[in-house]
Amino acid sequence: MDYKKIADLLFPNAKDVNQIESLYPKRQLKEGQVVSRFAPSPTGFMHIGNFFQMFISYNLTRVTDGIFFLRIEDTDFKREKKDAVNVVYEVLKKFGIKPDEYQTLDGVDIGDYGPYVQSQRLEIYQTYAKKLVAEGKAFPCFCRKTEGKEDVLKLRETKFNEDDEKEYDPCRNLTFEEIKQKIENGEKFAIRLKTKNTGKERIKFYDLIKGEIEAKANAKDFVILKNDGVPPYAFAHAIDDTLMGTTIVVRGEEYISSTPAHLELFDALGFKHPTYCHNPLICKIGENGNRRKISKRFDEEADMRYYFEQGYPETAVLEYLLNIINSGFEIWRANNPDKPWQEFKFGVKEITTVAPIFDLVKLNDISKNVIAKMSAQQVYENVLNWAKDYDKVFYKFLVENKEYAIKVFNIDREGPKPRKDIYKWSMIEDTFDYMFHKPKLLIEDKAKFNAFISSYLDEFTFPKEKEEWFAKVKEVAGKLGYALDNKQYKLNPEKFAGNVAKACEHIRIALTGRKDAPDLFELIQILGEEEVKARLKSSLD
Ligand code: GLU
C-alpha cells in the first residue's frame, strides 16, 4: 500500500513533523522538577472536581519548583468560547493561582510551549495525523452517520474491536485510487487509528496514586481526527503533553478506562509514556445513603463560584481541599497553626486514594479558624470586597462607615480567645445585625423592663470606664429592688425584682434585641452616646 501517497493526498499542505518538533525543544529540568498542567475544557463554569485536580497539579509543581501551565482544551466546544474561558481565568485569579505558562485573555502566549489553546493547534494535530497515515498506522474513514451507515458504525464499536473482523471495515484498506475518487467526490473524511491489537492483549501501566494497573489493551480503530480537522481528547492529549513536556498528567479517574487507548497512541506516535496521576473524584452521600459524584445538578457547592457568592475566604477553601486531598495536611496544620499553607510540603504518597466526601461542616470549621486569625481591618477589607459584588446596600454602608464597621468587626476579636463563629462574609451582616440596624425587641415582662430602662435612661451618663458603667447599673438596680448580692438572690428570689444579671439583660435587649450579645460596655463604646440613648428610648415604646 502506498501510505505515503495517501498521506500526501489527504493532507497536501500539512507541515513536516521535524518542523514542528524543532519548536518544542526538550525542557531543561533539574532533578525532581515536575511539569504539570491544568487543561480545562471551557464550559462556562468550573466544577470543584476540576479545581481539585488543578490544585493537585499545582501543588506537585509548587513543591518541586517545577512548571505549572494552563492549557485551554476548547476543541469540543461550539458555543461562545470567550466567556467560558473567562470563568477559568477568573476562578484561578481569585484563588491566587498563577500558572507559569498560559495564554493571556487577549491571546498572548506566556511561555515557550504554546499556543496554550488547543483550537490554535490544529495544524500540529494534522501534521501528526499525516505522519501516522504515512506510516500505515492510521487511515481515512469516509463513513457518515447520515448515509445509512449506522450498521458499519455499530460493527466498528463492537465486532470490529475484537478480532480479524476488522478487515471487513469498509475504510480500513481503501486503495489510493478509491480514496482519491472519494475526495474528488467531495466526501469528507475522519482519521482513525489502525490499532495493532486484536482484542486479546493486556497492558500494564503505573499510576502515581493507584499504583500498577492492568487492563485490556485498546483494540478499537478510534477516531483521532474528526472530519472537521479537530482531534478528540486522546489525540490532542498525546501530542500536547508530549510537545509541552508534561512530566505528570494529573486528571480525574474517569480517564483510567481510556488510558490503554491513549498509551497505544503514544506508542504509535513514537512518544515516551507520561506519568499518570488519576485523582479520585469528590463525592457526596446521596439521599439513599450511597456515595455519588458531587454534581452541578444537585449540589450548588459543585460550582466554584458558589464560594465567591457565599463569601468564603479563598484560603479556607484551599486549606479544605488540601485536607481532603492530602492526608498529611491536617497534622501539619495542627503542628504549624500559624504558617501559610504554601509552606506545606505536598507529597505524592499522601494523596488520597479513596474518593473524598465533601463536607461543608468541615469547610466551615476551617474557615472559622482562618477568619479568627484575621485582624478587624482584614475582615473589613474582605467583607468590603465581597459586598462590592454581592451586596450593594451593605457595600455602601461599609464605605460610608469604615471606622465604625472596623470597631464592630473587632468585637471579641483581639485577645487570647478570638471569636470563632464567622465562616463566610455573607453571614457577617446578620451576625452583627444589632450593630448595623435598630434591633427588633422581644420582651418577656414589659412592665418590669420599662421600669428598669426608664430609670437607667434617666440616670445615664456615657461611661468612660467599665467599672463606672457597672457601678451605675448596680445603683439603678439597687434602687428598683434588684439583688446586688447573688447569694441572697438565690436564697430568696421572690423577695427581689431580679439580680444584676437580669438588669444587664434588660440593657442588652434594649440595645441589641438579644440576650447573648457580647460585652455590653464594649458595645456601648462602639454605638456611642447618642445611639445608646436613642435605642434605650425607643425600646420603651
Ligand atoms: N479537558 C479535559 C477535561 O477537562 C482534560 C483532562 C486532562 O487533564 O487531561 O476533562
Side-chain angles (χ1 to χ4, degrees), residues 73-130:
E73 305 211 324
D74 59 347
T75 51
D76 199 18
F77 195 63
K78 306 236 158 41
R79 285 176 292 150
E80 181 65 42
K81 284 183 197 160
K82 196 85 187 158
D83 280 353
V85 175
N86 282 347
V87 172
V88 173
Y89 285 74
E90 183 201 336
V91 172
L92 292 183
K93 190 165 172 218
K94 279 221 176 178
F95 280 98
I97 306 281
K98 188 163 185 331
D100 300 302
E101 299 174 10
Y102 63 105
Q103 186 174 98
T104 64
L105 275 176
D106 38 21
V108 181
D109 283 308
I110 308 294
D112 295 333
Y113 292 80
Y116 295 92
V117 175
Q118 283 188 333
S119 59
Q120 297 166 22
R121 302 173 62 80
L122 299 184
E123 198 181 37
I124 300 175
Y125 308 127
Q126 287 180 14
T127 301
Y128 282 98
K130 179 173 181 180

Side-chain angles (χ1 to χ4, degrees), residues 9-10 140-144 147 149 170-189:
L9 176 67
L10 298 174
C141 170
F142 293 88
C143 301
R144 300 191 62 184
E147 286 169 4
K149 290 263 178 68
C171 296
R172 211 175 200 242
N173 296 308
L174 291 173
T175 63
F176 174 79
E177 288 307 327
E178 286 165 329
I179 292 171
K180 188 163 177 257
Q181 190 58 56
K182 283 177 183 290
I183 288 181
E184 280 168 6
N185 293 345
E187 285 185 48
K188 285 182 144 191
F189 60 88

Side-chain angles (χ1 to χ4, degrees), residues 37-41 50 53 71 73 118 233 237 241 249-252 254-255:
R37 80 299 191 273
F38 178 39
S41 304
N50 290 105
Q53 170 217 321
R71 181 173 68 228
E73 305 211 324
Q118 283 188 333
Y233 170 78
H237 152 55
D241 281 317
V249 172
V250 180
R251 59 185 184 184
E254 72 271 25
Y255 284 98

Side-chain angles (χ1 to χ4, degrees), residues 80 87 136 251 320 325 332 352 364 401 528 540:
E80 181 65 42
V87 172
R251 59 185 184 184
Y320 172 65
I325 294 169
W332 179 85
T352 177
N364 293 347
N401 299 279
L540 294 170

